[in-house]
């Protein structure tokens, strides 16, 4: 009997100890249903995990395709009828949603964002400095190339050495010429000059529109010339990004396209499904610059009645280290939490990349990204620029004419922007 | 008892009016209200009066004054010209083909067999959705890998030694890309026009032809002096309906410009921006939406279609009346 009482006391003490420490609320005490809108089914996996921990909570997910997302969610957010508690935002329109005022102020939950990569927080913070959305990932990019081709024409497939050959615009063009010449025009460095755009975008120092004024910086003007050189000297395969041949080339044993300029998600969602026969023939190196492309943020609807539960969800997937570790291990996704990245970055070896550790590479690239470059108007303006560059490259206009045309496009679409 | 009957009648028309007001009348009025505002879809619409209309009309004059220059504002008027450049060749081609086939099929002397079969075959393209035709055409016309350029170039490059020009990118030239759409439109609609014209021809009383035959009129003369004048009302109908549809052409240009083949920027790249596509882009295409301006464009579109339809009806009935 005494033993039994002793045992009970010990167990009781242990339990008491276990529940002490930081005042965390038992996930099981949360009860209710929250709704969520997103444009990818990626979050389904998160929801499953969340529901298994927060057993009293049910998450209802609505998936709206990316192209329709903004047009569908705008009226819902405005009217408030059946508005989701949590909604995600993509790279292309995250700024608009963050600035729209429909996201609740996340500051009320006192999140500790110190461990997150700066740009993740920058992008999720509105112009008044209020934190509106957070992300679990960062999406720095690199240059994915074919090892066999590199060995054959460049003499090495080592990522460091190949990266060195591509480290500036001039070196990139030289390597492009070398590949073209050595292969008698059979191999081109990239699919098309459009693939190159990530570099000039990331070399800017200001967004395209800052303080209501249009900025056309030198890297953008240089891009006109690089694109022209690539086309005039036939240095690219002249294949459009996302076109069928663009994908087909990934699986070819004798590829026409040497490399793809893609970010973190490009490895898992673009290359892997399309490069089944070329597993292990890929390398990842740095191109002429650091950039980021894509990413998903999430925040809480300002009039949500379940803000606390919604926050538990966001907290779990952006700040909780164990959950993030699980996410990275099971998806290979690159995280936005520096602390977790540091802990796990040595544990990766990707079979597509012949065992190369992409995590280590991206961990070096992520802090170099300037999130302030992503701003209102950015994406539309990039489209106009690509159109103008196309006119110049195709020989329909001189560079000056194309730039004039570009400015006129911006003015036409956004009469409020000051175009000099 | 009489009163009650009146009410029963009302009861029957009420459903129509409810639907009409909810789904037709209200949106029409609401768009007009929107056209007087500035609205990005997030904050509340801001009332700015006739600003958007003023913009469209000033741009019309600026376009005239600065013709040929690059930095002239007024993309709406560029879209207007584009739409006409797509619609006009299409309606001309369509009518020529439809008339030609119609005459052959209805000709009493030729007595072609299997007219019903051909009529069905020629009507088929109209049953396919425009968007899928657009996708199909995009695949066929792909500059580097499309079947059409392969067909032209494949056999030629089989003979070595020749210095062949590179494949021509049809979609990268304003005129050729507009012509591509015109031709697709023609292909899609000539069957419909043909059926309408054939019905019109069969409606012409046989006695006229018998009289002409007796008087010794040639086939050509019969065609120009009997068939054509009596077909004028059908022509009016075909042209006006085609105009209303053609001014609102959207699907195929949308599919074409959504791919990577035609840039959004630049006048050459914008060759396929029709009025409705321009409106769509202002409202839903750009990340920064301008619903107010888009609504104003839709009202301008209404005005343009109304004006041209009236001109068309007046002109053709006058021509028809004189002969």
């Amino acid at each position: 009997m005494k033993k039994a009482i002793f045992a009970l006391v010990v167990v009781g003490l242990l339990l008491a100890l276990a529940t002490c420490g930081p005042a965390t609320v038992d996930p099981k005490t949360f009860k209710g249903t929250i709704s969520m809108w997103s444009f990818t089914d990626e979050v389904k996996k998160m929801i499953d995990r969340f529901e298994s921990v927060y057993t009293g909570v049910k998450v209802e997910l609505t998936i709206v395709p990316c192209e329709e997302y903004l047009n569908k969610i705008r009226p819902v957010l405005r009217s408030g009828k059946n508005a989701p508690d949590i909604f995600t935002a993509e790279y292309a329109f995250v700024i608009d949603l963050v600035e729209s005022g429909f996201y609740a102020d996340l500051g009320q939950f006192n999140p500790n964002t110190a461990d997150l990569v700066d740009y993740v927080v920058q992008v999720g913070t509105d112009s008044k400095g209020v934190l509106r959305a957070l992300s679990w990932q960062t999406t720095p990019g690199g240059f994915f190339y074919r090892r066999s081709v590199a060995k054959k024409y460049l003499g090495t497939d080592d990522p460091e050495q190949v990266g060195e050959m591509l480290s500036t615009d001039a070196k990139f063009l030289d390597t492009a010429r070398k590949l073209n010449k050595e292969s008698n025009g059979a191999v081109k460095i990239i699919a098309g000059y459009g693939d190159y755009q990530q570099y000039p975008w990331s070399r800017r120092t200001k967004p395209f529109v800052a303080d209501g004024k249009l900025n056309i910086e030198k890297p953008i003007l240089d891009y006109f010339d690089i694109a022209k050189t690539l086309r005039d000297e036939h240095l690219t395969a002249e294949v459009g990004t996302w076109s069928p041949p663009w994908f087909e080339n990934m699986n070819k044993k004798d590829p026409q396209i040497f490399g793809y300029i893609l970010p973190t998600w490009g490895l898992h969602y673009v290359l892997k499904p399309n490069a089944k026969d070329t597993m292990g023939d890929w390398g990842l190196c740095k191109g002429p610059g650091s950039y980021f492309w894509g990413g998903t943020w999430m925040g809480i609807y300002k009039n949500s009645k379940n803000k606390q539960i919604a926050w538990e969800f966001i907290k779990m997937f952006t700040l909780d280290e164990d959950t993030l570790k699980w996410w990275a291990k099971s998806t290979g996704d690159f995280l936005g939490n520096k602390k977790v990245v540091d802990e796990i970055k040595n544990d990766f070896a990707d079979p597509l990349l012949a065992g190369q550790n992409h995590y280590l590479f991206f961990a070096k690239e992520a802090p170099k990204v300037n999130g302030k470059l992503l701003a209102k108007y950015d994406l539309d303006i990039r489209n106009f620029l690509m159109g103008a560059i196309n006119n110049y490259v195709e020989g329909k206009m001189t560079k000056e004419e194309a730039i004039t045309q570009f400015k006129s496009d911006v003015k036409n679409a956004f009469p409020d922007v000051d175009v000099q | 008892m009489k009163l009650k009957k009146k009410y029963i009648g009302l009861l029957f028309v009420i459903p129509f009016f409810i639907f009409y007001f909810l789904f037709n009348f209200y949106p029409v009025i609401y768009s007009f209200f929107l056209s007087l505002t500035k609205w990005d879809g997030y904050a509340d619409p801001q009332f700015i009066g006739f600003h958007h209309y003023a913009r469209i009309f000033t741009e019309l004059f600026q376009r005239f004054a600065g013709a040929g220059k690059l930095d002239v504002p007024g993309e709406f008027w560029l879209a207007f010209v584009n739409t006409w450049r797509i619609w006009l060749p299409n309606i001309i081609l369509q009518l020529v083909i439809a008339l030609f086939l119609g005459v052959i099929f209805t000709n009493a002397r030729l007595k072609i067999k299997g007219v019903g079969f051909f009529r069905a075959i020629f009507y088929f393209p109209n049953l396919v959705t425009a968007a899928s035709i657009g996708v199909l055409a995009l695949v066929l016309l792909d500059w580097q890998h499309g079947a059409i350029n392969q067909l032209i170039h494949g056999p030629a490059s089989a003979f070595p030694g020749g210095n062949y020009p590179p494949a021509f990118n049809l979609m990268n030239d304003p005129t050729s890309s507009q012509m591509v759409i015109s031709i697709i439109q023609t292909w899609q609609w000539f069957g419909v026009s043909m059926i309408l014209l054939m019905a019109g021809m069969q409606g012409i009383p046989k006695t006229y032809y018998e009289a002409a035959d007796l008087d010794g009129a040639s086939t050509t003369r019969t065609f120009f002096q009997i068939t054509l004048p009596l077909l004028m009302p059908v022509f009016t109908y075909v042209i006006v309906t085609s105009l209303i549809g053609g001014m609102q052409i959207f699907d195929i240009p949308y599919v074409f410009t959504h791919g990577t083949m035609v840039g959004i920027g630049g006048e050459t790249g914008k060759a396929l921006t029709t009025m409705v596509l321009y409106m769509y882009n202002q409202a839903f295409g750009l990340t920064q939406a301008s619903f107010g301006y888009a609504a104003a464009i839709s009202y301008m579109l209404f005005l343009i279609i109304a004006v041209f339809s009236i001109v068309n009806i007046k002109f053709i009935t006058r021509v028809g009346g004189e002969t």
Side-chain angles (χ1 to χ4, degrees), chain A residues 70-71 74 78 96 100 102 238 245 376-377 380 390-391 394 396-397 401 404-405 409 412 414-416, chain B residues 38-39 41-44 55 70-71 74-75 143-145 172 265-268 270 278 284 286-288:
Chain A
L70 218 47
N71 292 325
R74 250 189 306 230
R78 254 185 74 81
D96 299 279
S100 71
F102 287 121
E238 286 166 22
K376 204 175 166 184
Y377 305 116
D380 293 329
N390 183 56
N391 284 339
E394 295 285 337
K396 294 189 195 316
M397 289 181 183
E401 283 170 344
T404 313
Q405 177 63 64
D409 284 349
N412 226 312
F414 313 119
D416 298 339
Chain B
K38 193 175 155 185
W39 190 35
Y42 295 112
D44 291 329
R55 174 182 167 187
L70 286 167
D71 51 349
E75 246 165 66
W143 171 39
Q144 302 270 24
H145 306 270
N172 216 336
E267 299 235 340
T268 44
K270 283 191 218 112
Y278 182 58
F284 309 111
L286 298 168
T287 336
Q288 302 295 323

Side-chain angles (χ1 to χ4, degrees), chain B residues 1 4 7 52 113 152 175 196 215 234 264 279 292-293:
Chain B
M1 197 62 200
K4 236 182 180 177
Y7 286 129
H52 293 309
K113 272 181 195 156
I152 300 171
T175 313
L196 289 169
D215 289 342
V234 184
I264 302 176
M279 175 183 82
Y293 184 46

Side-chain angles (χ1 to χ4, degrees), chain A residues 199-220:
Chain A
Y199 297 116
W201 301 158
S202 67
R203 287 181 196 148
R204 292 173 296 157
T205 59
K206 286 182 276 194
F208 281 120
V209 178
D211 302 322
K213 267 192 196 150
L214 177 73
N215 302 305
I216 311 174
E217 295 183 71
K218 190 174 175 291
I220 303 302

